[in-house]
Amino acid sequence: MTRILFWLALALLVYFAIRSKLKQSQRRQEEARRQQQQQQQPPQPSEQRQVVASEEMLRCAQCGVYFPASENVPIEGRDYCSPAHAPLK
Ligand SMILES: [Zn+2]
């Protein structure tokens, strides 16, 4: 009879040990998920990229290529994508 009790106690011990380990791994997974969500949420650089992307575009009078206005080379009222395309005087 004491043998059966011994094995029962052992089985219970193993059962609780496995259960606590499972709980630990579940907690770790939840924490990892939360950290991933936090990492995904805060950075919002897409808006800044959209601002850059929506910068005014100009058309080169020489090659017809569209380029951002910040790179404009205006000469005699015309816009050029680079000094190389601007007419030399
Ligand atoms: Zn050009």
Side-chain angles (χ1 to χ4, degrees), residues 60-65 67 80-82 85:
C60 178
Q62 172 69 24
C63 64
V65 150
F67 58 95
Y80 297 92
C81 66
S82 68
H85 283 178

Side-chain angles (χ1 to χ4, degrees), residues 5 11-13 16 25 29 31-33 36 42-44 52 55 68 70 76 79 83 85 87 89:
L5 278 174
L12 275 171
L13 261 172
F16 280 115
S25 65
Q29 282 179 352
E31 280 176 18
R33 263 184 229 154
Q36 279 180 351
Q44 292 172 335
V52 172
E55 185 181 347
S70 59
E76 292 178 345
D79 302 321
H85 283 178
K89 284 181 183 175

Side-chain angles (χ1 to χ4, degrees), residues 3-67:
R3 258 196 163 177
I4 291 169
L5 278 174
F6 171 73
W7 286 113
L8 240 166
L10 198 79
L12 275 171
L13 261 172
V14 170
Y15 171 71
F16 280 115
I18 290 171
R19 225 175 82 163
S20 66
K21 272 195 179 179
L22 277 173
K23 274 190 181 177
Q24 274 183 358
S25 65
Q26 277 180 353
R27 269 184 213 160
R28 274 179 206 160
Q29 282 179 352
E30 279 180 3
E31 280 176 18
R33 263 184 229 154
R34 276 177 205 164
Q35 281 178 352
Q36 279 180 351
Q37 284 177 349
Q38 282 175 351
Q39 282 172 355
Q40 285 170 355
Q41 278 174 354
Q44 292 172 335
S46 56
E47 287 182 15
Q48 288 178 345
R49 275 181 212 150
Q50 281 175 356
V51 169
V52 172
S54 66
E55 185 181 347
E56 190 186 356
M57 299 298 279
L58 298 171
R59 193 161 183 263
C60 178
Q62 172 69 24
C63 64
V65 150
Y66 284 93
F67 58 95

